[in-house]
RNA sequence: GCGGGCGUGGCGGAAUUGGCAGACGCGCCGGAUUUAGGAUCCGGUGGGCAACCGUGGAGGUUCGAGUCCUCUCGCCCGCACCA
């Protein structure tokens, strides 16, 4: 009598064996093709949740299957361990961030082991380990040497709750902090930047090199980078008396063809010129009012959709370079200082925002590019000079049209990318008052953080030499342990840390006390896995070249911009530093859907968390793994429910019983050597159909249907056993089905498969080291096939015909089968679809 | 506003190129077995008495549409005063 399926007995046993035998340890094997499957590493914030289970189970199935297919598979894990939650938790529990972090890592690690994930633990990295973060500092120095590091004063995002600055990418939604969701404030501070904008064009262009990425992610990145083509135009500023001063102010515009319609000129409230222009004039008070009002607004208020626009005249004018017209300079709160130049040429007839502003303040709205069928086009006809100062429109028109009142350009095509746009820019170029230009929305990456639990920035402030990099030989700059975050301390409160001497002149100097954004740590961890224990270099180029790029990356959509954009940037810089030879780090990307409960994301505060550990304790890891994959395709959101778990457990027990009984029968010889009857053929056909189906489904990440196919094979096995009595069963064939099922199920339910393979089927070596079952096309061949017969689009009958029967014979049989529907009617047309159906069209 | 995506039984979801809609599982119904079971096994299960009707809705292309085209309704996500 065979044993019952008992996951709790077998799972722990195999986890220990796998660890003892190093089943998942890999090295560079020149004799095998490599495959690098990576899941985004976790933040050690506490116990693992269902999102982790889903993410890592998907990756584990892929890793295990590629391994069985003969690939040398790199499948590592680590922890993104620096960051604010550790500090907050330390304050709450009156301990040290490191204590909390390492305790959580241990907890998560043991959960991952209990889930049966096939990680090579020798390659594990923890970003707060000195052996890791020193290379992050080294990277900083390389970037600096290449001119990609800059420290500068600028308006920055400040999270008052996290008490640190944030990168643009970390301000999300309605202007809130990505981590704590507090409203972000603007402050003028001197900070460290990575010059990601130097790579803006390439980061955009190379999205085309990523056919294996979801369209959604690429679109989000493209929008974030935000490339605009247009022109820079220089306007000459007039002095207080209205006379040209010789000083130029540059604007960026995507529509130089509308330049003749520019009736006013705008400066952002934060623009450095504003104060100078109005200082001591009668306009100062009104302008200051606008400036102060804008400064008080939080980012949240700023992003509240369509707001009323406010502005004030500065009393000054600029000269429009195309027609010499003097246009008034206003300060307006809808002009952004951090996009373009902070100054804008306003064309109210062609831009809705300018239109609204002009209407609010009674400014001119001269038509300049109008629809071809607009009465204004005919009325203004050939007129080149600007005499119409207003339009009878309800809103601005920014589409393509004909240029009017535009000097020598009148009559030309206007619009985005139009001939008029090129012609006007060429004309400006000749006068040296403009040029073709491209503008990006992407800002440089602000990487400094005013927090303790991070990677110290390896720089020194010397009163004599200025900013000096820490010499490579002095790395790492160690994060001191005796900083008490529970008292609100940072590195800036720690003289033992910041008091130093200048590496250049030897004089007294102050060490930088900011740490790096945690996203700098996660921008290169996938490379470190290739050579995780290297103390001599960030990695050995041969090893990195063997494993990289990552063939399949799996993680949440929340990193569509943040982590994925930063990592692409790092890869390109490493390439330019000669550390790699390719352009993109992640060849294929799968963004797995979220695991929700009652329509919401699971969280402790909502009290709707289903703990994976509880499910493992009840059903075992294999059931949990299969269930979370079976519920939905990997890229779709998933609504968690405990309902179906019993069904999966039931199925695994059915597989267990079938394989056990098949093994027993084979051992006792209670059956026949080869039956060759219809039932046997059918089982063999199912076995091979499912081998093909599961292989194909895994390749397409349709893991839910792969499992469904395995259930079908199980059903077919039971159907066979119900149809054929003990003693008459085809033993080799039954064994083939049992072995195939065991191997096919191995990536999904690795513990049960191992137990069945080694202990029940009595094999010698781990199922996870076996060759993936091979599909035999001859096994699924059939002599006869059933065709549906349609009459006027409706299925009216079925016929079974020999494979390869001539078309006219098929038609004859088909017409007989549906004679009741065809009799007495004219058959107008018959379509035969090979192997599928016959479609008959009759008149009437 | 711009961009991406989704709408299929009571539920989760199948249906690679247009070819028998609802695979597979849950749930439910019936039966067998059992001292008993929320265990196990076998069978049934879109709606309708039927002809027929059914993939958010309305058209269209086609012998044939969940799939392609046009319009439309609803929901989700990302960015958003970006000049």
């Amino acid at each position: 009598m065979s044993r019952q399926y008992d996951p709790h007995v077998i799972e722990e046993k195999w986890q220990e064996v796998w660890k003892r035998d190093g089943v998942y340890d890999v090295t560079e094997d020149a004799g095998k093709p490599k495959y690098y499957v990576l899941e985004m590493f976790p933040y050690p914030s506490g116990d693992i949740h269902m999102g982790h289970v889903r993410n890592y189970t998907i990756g584990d199935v892929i890793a295990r299957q590629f391994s069985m297919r003969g690939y040398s598979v790199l499948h590592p894990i680590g922890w993104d361990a620096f960051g604010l939650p550790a500090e907050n938790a330390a304050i709450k529990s009156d301990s040290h961030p490191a204590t909390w972090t390492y305790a959580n890592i241990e907890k998560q690690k043991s959960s991952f082991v209990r889930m049966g994930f096939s990680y090579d633990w020798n390659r594990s990295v923890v970003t707060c380990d000195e052996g890791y973060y020193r290379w992050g500092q080294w990277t900083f120095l390389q970037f600096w040497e290449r001119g990609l590091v800059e420290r500068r004063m600028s308006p920055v995002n400040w999270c008052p709750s996290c008490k640190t600055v944030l990168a643009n990418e970390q301000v999300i939604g309605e202007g809130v902090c990505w981590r704590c969701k507090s409203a972000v404030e603007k402050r003028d501070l001197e900070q460290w930047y990575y010059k990601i904008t130097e790579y803006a064009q390439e980061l955009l262009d190379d999205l085309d090199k990523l056919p294996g990425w979801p369209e959604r992610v690429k679109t989000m990145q493209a929008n974030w980078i935000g490339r605009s083509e247009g022109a820079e135009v220089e306007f000459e500023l007039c002095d207080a008396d209205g006379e040209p001063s010789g000083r130029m102010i540059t604007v960026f515009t995507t529509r130089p063809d509308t330049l003749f319609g520019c009736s006013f000129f705008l400066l952002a409230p934060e623009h450095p010129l504003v104060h100078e222009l109005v200082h001591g004039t009668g306009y100062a008070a009104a302008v200051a009012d606008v400036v102060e009002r804008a400064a008080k607004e939080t980012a949240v208020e700023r992003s509240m959709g369509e707001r009323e626009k406010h502005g004030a005249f500065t009393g000054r004018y600029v000269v429009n370079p195309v027609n010499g017209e003097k246009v008034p300079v206003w300060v307006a709160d809808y002009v952004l200082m951090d996009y373009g130049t902070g100054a804008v040429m306003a064309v109210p007839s062609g831009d809705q925002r300018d239109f609204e502003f002009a209407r609010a303040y009674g400014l001119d709205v001269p038509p300049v590019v109008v629809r071809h069928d607009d009465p204004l086009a005919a009325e203004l006809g050939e007129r080149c000079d600007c005499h119409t100062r207003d339009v009878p429109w309800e809103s601005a028109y920014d589409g393509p049209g004909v240029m009017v009142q535009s000097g020598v350009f009148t009559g030309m095509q206007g619009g985005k990318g139009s001939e008029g746009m090129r012609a006007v820019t060429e004309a400006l170029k000749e006068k040296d008052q403009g040029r073709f230009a491209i503008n990006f929305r992407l800002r440089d990456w602000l990487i400094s953080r005013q927090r303790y639990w991070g990677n110290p920035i390896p720089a020194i402030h010397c009163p004599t030499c200025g900013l000096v990099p820490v010499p490579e030989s002095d790395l790492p700059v160690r994060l001191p342990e005796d900083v008490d975050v529970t008292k609100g301390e940072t590195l800036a409160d720690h003289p033992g840390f910041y008091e130093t001497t200048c590496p250049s002149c030897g004089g007294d100097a102050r060490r930088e006390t900011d740490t790096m954004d945690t996203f700098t740590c996660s921008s290169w961890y996938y490379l470190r896995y290739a050579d995780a224990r290297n103390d001599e270099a960030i990695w050995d180029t041969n090893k990195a070249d063997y494993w990289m790029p990552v063939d399949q990356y799996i993680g949440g959509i929340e990193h569509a911009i943040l982590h994925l954009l930063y990592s692409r940037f790092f890869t390109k810089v490493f390439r330019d530093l000669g550390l790699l030879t390719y352009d993109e780090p992640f060849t294929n990307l799968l963004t797995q859907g979220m695991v929700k409960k009652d329509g919401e994301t699971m969280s402790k505060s909502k009290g709707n968390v289903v703990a994976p550990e509880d499910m493992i304790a009840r059903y075992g890891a294999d059931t949990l793994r299969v269930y979370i994959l079976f519920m939905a395709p990997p890229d779709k959101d998933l609504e968690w429910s405990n309902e179906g778990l019993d069904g999966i457990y039931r199925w695994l027990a059915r597989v267990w019983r079938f394989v056990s009984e098949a093994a027993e029968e084979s051992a006792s010889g209670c059956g026949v050597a080869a039956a060759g009857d219809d039932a046997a053929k059918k089982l063999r056909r199912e076995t091979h159909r499912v081998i093909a189906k599961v292989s194909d489904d895994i390749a397409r990440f349709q893991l839910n249907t792969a499992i469904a196919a395995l259930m079908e094979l199980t059903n077919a096995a039971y159907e066979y056993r119900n149809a054929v009595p003990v003693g008459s069963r085809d033993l080799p064939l039954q064994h083939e089905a049992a072995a195939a099922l065991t191997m096919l199920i191995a990536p999904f339910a690795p513990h049960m498969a191992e137990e069945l393979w080694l202990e029940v089927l009595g094999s010698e070596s781990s199922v996870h080291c076996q060759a993936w079952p091979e599909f035999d096309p001859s096994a699924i061949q059939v002599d006869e096939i059933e065709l549906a017969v349609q009459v006027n689009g409706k299925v009216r009958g079925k016929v079974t015909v020999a494979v390869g029967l001539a078309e006219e014979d098929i038609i004859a049989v088909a017409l007989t089968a549906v004679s009741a529907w065809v009799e007495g009617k004219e058959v107008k047309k018959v379509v035969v679809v090979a192997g599928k159906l016959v479609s008959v069209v009759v008149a009437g």
Side-chain angles (χ1 to χ4, degrees):
Chain A
M1 186 59 200
S2 58
R3 286 180 293 135
Q4 291 260 304
Y5 171 50
D6 184 352
H8 302 293
V9 173
I10 61 177
E11 291 189 350
E12 208 175 322
K13 173 173 97 183
W14 292 115
Q15 284 155 14
E16 275 164 24
V17 172
W18 293 334
K19 185 180 170 190
R20 185 195 68 204
D21 296 349
V23 173
Y24 308 117
D25 299 349
V26 286
T27 51
E28 300 71 34
D29 183 341
K32 282 183 180 179
K34 72 93 185 178
Y35 193 82
Y36 187 176
V37 56
L38 180 66
E39 301 106 50
M40 290 180 185
F41 67 169
Y43 188 84
S45 53
D47 295 324
I48 65 162
H49 52 68
M50 284 301 174
H52 291 125
V53 168
R54 193 178 192 197
N55 192 177
Y56 301 140
T57 303
I58 294 165
D60 198 53
V61 168
I62 302 305
R64 288 178 180 279
Q65 200 243 3
F66 266 90
S67 182
M68 291 175 80
R69 283 171 55 200
Y71 286 79
S72 174
V73 173
L74 178 56
H75 185 219
I77 190 74
W79 279 271
D80 187 12
F82 272 136
L84 214 63
E87 286 194 48
N88 294 338
I91 292 166
K92 220 170 156 186
S93 63
D94 196 26
S95 66
H96 193 276
T99 314
W100 180 85
T101 301
Y102 284 105
N104 281 340
I105 287 174
E106 282 314 307
K107 258 204 286 195
Q108 294 193 345
K109 182 176 172 174
S110 69
S111 290
F112 292 161
V113 169
R114 265 194 294 283
M115 283 300 297
F117 297 143
S118 61
Y119 297 125
D120 180 350
W121 288 102
N122 300 317
R123 294 169 181 272
S124 182
V125 301
V126 176
T127 60
C128 63
D129 282 351
E130 197 180 298
Y132 182 86
Y133 73 66
R134 67 171 295 171
W135 297 110
Q137 296 175 2
W138 181 84
T139 301
F140 178 91
L141 297 178
Q142 306 308 305
F143 278 41
W144 196 346
E145 205 168 299
R146 246 195 116 72
L148 294 169
V149 170
E150 202 167 85
R151 186 174 162 86
R152 62 167 177 260
M153 176 67 102
S154 101
V156 298
N157 306 299
W158 172 268
C159 175
S161 157
C162 298
K163 294 187 178 61
T164 182
V165 297
L166 299 170
N168 268 18
E169 290 78 11
Q170 291 156 2
V171 180
I172 59 163
E174 315 252 277
V176 302
C177 171
W178 70 287
R179 186 164 266 157
C180 73
K181 310 285 187 287
S182 309
V184 167
E185 298 168 2
K186 283 275 174 193
R187 289 196 181 180
D188 285 309
L189 293 169
E190 195 179 343
Q191 297 291 322
W192 293 92
Y193 292 85
Y194 273 164
K195 291 163 84 175
I196 190 171
T197 54
E198 305 251 315
Y199 287 82
Q201 187 67 56
E202 205 196 334
L203 286 166
L204 182 66
D205 291 343
D206 285 2
L207 290 172
D208 291 339
K209 293 181 182 170
L210 299 170
W213 280 39
E215 216 47 52
R216 179 159 67 131
V217 174
K218 289 191 278 187
T219 310
M220 281 166 76
Q221 291 212 359
N223 289 345
W224 186 260
I225 295 166
R227 182 182 195 271
S228 293
E229 262 178 58
E232 277 175 10
V233 184
E234 287 177 16
F235 284 69
E236 186 174 5
L237 181 66
C238 295
D239 59 25
D241 303 323
E243 294 308 314
S245 69
R247 279 177 75 180
M248 296 296 189
I249 313 180
T250 306
V251 300
F252 173 77
T253 176
T254 53
R255 294 293 303 280
D257 55 309
T258 64
L259 200 39
F260 286 83
C262 169
S263 54
F264 50 98
F265 190 95
L266 300 169
L267 295 175
E270 303 86 357
H271 199 285
L273 259 180
V274 171
H275 179 74
E276 182 198 324
L277 294 190
V278 299
H279 185 62
T281 72
Y283 302 98
V287 166
D289 196 47
V290 173
V291 171
E292 275 162 32
R293 187 173 183 151
K296 257 191 276 174
E297 269 193 327
T298 63
V300 174
E301 287 162 341
R302 273 214 162 194
S303 66
M304 283 292 185
E306 297 287 303
R307 297 165 318 133
E308 210 174 306
K309 297 168 175 57
H310 303 283
F313 182 43
T314 62
R316 295 289 200 100
Y317 292 82
V318 289
V319 181
N320 187 334
V322 288
N323 57 10
E325 224 176 83
K326 284 179 189 164
V327 296
V329 177
W330 286 62
V331 169
D333 63 357
Y334 68 96
V335 179
L336 307 172
M337 191 57 221
D338 56 6
Y339 183 77
T341 62
V344 171
M345 59 174 242
V347 182
S349 66
D351 182 288
Q352 186 57 25
R353 296 155 298 171
D354 297 342
F355 184 89
E356 286 165 20
F357 191 79
R359 286 285 182 256
Y361 290 94
L363 295 157
D364 288 345
V365 187
V368 56
V369 173
V370 301
R371 282 191 178 86
H372 294 89
D373 58 0
D374 191 300
L376 280 172
E379 185 194 317
L380 296 174
E382 311 276 288
R383 280 203 81 100
C384 300
D385 61 312
C386 187
H387 82 298
T388 298
R389 307 299 306 180
D390 201 358
V391 292
W393 303 342
E394 297 288 312
S395 62
Y397 175 68
D398 62 5
V402 61
M403 291 170 69
V404 298
Q405 309 193 122
S406 299
V408 298
F409 307 101
T410 301
M412 276 188 172
Q413 266 302 314
K416 285 220 152 129
S418 62
E419 57 162 337
M421 176 180 153
R422 283 188 297 276
V424 172
T425 310
E426 288 293 351
L428 288 166
K429 223 167 130 184
E430 250 161 62
K431 293 177 69 178
D432 201 25
Q433 283 204 58
R435 59 210 63 89
F436 291 98
I438 288 158
N439 203 34
F440 290 96
R441 212 187 72 116
L442 182 71
R443 304 289 86 196
D444 277 332
W445 176 9
L446 198 173
I447 59 152
S448 42
R449 298 288 178 272
Q450 291 69 50
R451 303 297 313 203
Y452 160 71
W453 191 237
N455 191 0
I457 291 175
I460 289 164
H461 302 260
C462 171
T464 315
C465 312
L467 284 175
V468 182
V470 171
E472 256 183 66
S473 54
D474 289 354
L475 295 186
V477 175
R478 281 196 183 80
L479 188 65
E481 279 167 31
D482 53 345
V483 170
D484 191 349
V485 296
T486 65
K487 295 200 178 88
E489 288 180 10
T490 69
L491 295 177
D493 303 305
H494 204 271
F497 176 79
Y498 63 70
E499 282 173 2
T500 187
T501 52
C502 173
S504 177
C505 71
D508 285 349
R510 186 185 164 94
R511 194 180 287 286
E512 173 61 58
T513 53
D514 280 356
T515 53
M516 283 186 243
D517 181 3
T518 52
F519 280 92
T520 63
C521 302
S522 55
S523 293
W524 59 280
Y525 77 104
Y526 47 91
L527 280 152
R528 183 68 177 173
Y529 284 140
D531 193 13
R533 300 285 170 266
N534 196 332
D535 289 331
E536 307 300 316
I538 188 164
W539 55 74
D540 179 298
T541 310
N542 290 326
K543 290 184 179 172
D545 279 352
Y546 177 84
W547 291 114
M548 287 292 292
V550 174
D551 294 282
Q552 184 64 54
Y553 200 25
I554 306 164
I557 187 72
E558 67 272 18
H559 288 293
I561 294 172
L562 286 159
H563 162 64
L564 290 168
L565 186 66
Y566 294 147
S567 295
R568 295 181 60 222
F569 163 57
F570 262 56
T571 296
K572 290 174 193 306
V573 177
F574 285 138
R575 177 202 58 198
D576 292 344
L577 288 166
L579 293 162
L580 340 150
T581 53
Y582 40 84
D583 302 318
E584 289 289 336
F586 314 123
T587 307
N588 296 292
L589 174 68
L590 176 78
T591 49
Q592 119 247 4
M594 290 195 292
V595 181
K596 298 185 164 186
K597 185 85 201 298
D598 311 318
E600 294 178 303
T601 50
M602 289 191 197
S603 75
K604 277 182 202 154
S605 57
K606 288 182 199 128
N608 60 355
V609 175
V610 178
E613 284 289 353
D614 293 350
M615 297 297 117
I616 298 174
R618 236 167 109 186
Y619 295 95
D622 283 343
T623 296
L624 179 57
R625 291 169 59 112
V626 171
Y627 182 56
I628 203 152
L629 296 176
F630 183 65
M631 282 174 92
D635 57 331
K636 285 212 180 138
D637 281 357
L638 177 157
E639 171 69 28
W640 179 269
S641 148
N642 287 346
E643 289 292 299
L645 273 160
D646 289 315
I648 299 299
Y649 186 89
R650 221 154 29 221
W651 172 56
L652 291 180
R654 263 159 64 79
V655 171
W656 175 275
R657 191 161 62 85
F658 163 61
V659 175
S660 301
E661 289 175 7
E664 269 173 30
E665 282 171 31
S666 290
S668 66
C670 183
V672 297
D677 53 18
D678 283 353
K681 274 187 192 153
K682 196 174 166 194
L683 177 57
R684 179 139 205 274
R685 202 157 59 230
E686 267 307 277
T687 302
H688 283 270
R689 185 188 67 81
V690 168
I691 290 172
K693 168 84 175 150
V694 171
S695 308
D696 190 41
D697 279 353
I698 293 177
R700 294 186 301 133
F701 282 96
Q702 301 277 37
L703 304 183
N704 54 331
T705 52
I707 292 165
L710 291 169
M711 289 171 173
E712 284 170 334
L713 177 54
T714 313
N715 292 343
Y718 277 92
E719 203 178 302
Y720 177 71
R721 293 173 62 74
N722 287 336
V724 182
V726 184
S728 309
R729 292 175 188 151
D730 182 331
L731 294 180
L733 189 135
Q734 187 171 259
H735 187 270
E736 184 195 21
L741 184 54
T742 303
M743 287 193 280
L744 294 174
I745 211 172
F748 301 91
H751 308 91
M752 187 187 79
E754 189 76 306
E755 177 77 14
L756 289 175
W757 187 254
L758 292 174
E759 303 296 328
V760 176
L761 294 171
S763 311
E764 297 288 315
S765 63
S766 171
V767 68
H768 303 294
C769 303
Q770 303 305 309
W772 188 248
E774 218 160 295
F775 165 60
D776 178 0
S778 71
I780 60 162
Q781 274 171 15
V782 286
D783 309 328
E784 288 185 322
I785 190 159
E786 190 187 59
L787 302 178
V789 186
Q790 293 184 342
V791 180
N792 287 354
K794 292 198 165 70
V795 177
R796 297 301 188 188
K798 304 258 168 115
V799 290
T800 302
V801 298
V803 169
L805 188 66
E807 195 162 305
E808 56 263 38
D809 297 331
I810 293 175
I811 291 172
V813 177
L815 287 176
T816 314
V818 293
S819 54
W821 304 89
V822 179
E823 214 127 279
K825 290 176 180 163
E826 184 200 349
V827 175
K828 297 183 76 174
K829 191 175 177 183
V830 181
V831 179
V832 178
V833 182
K836 299 265 183 185
L837 55 71
V838 181
S839 184
V840 182
V841 187
V842 296

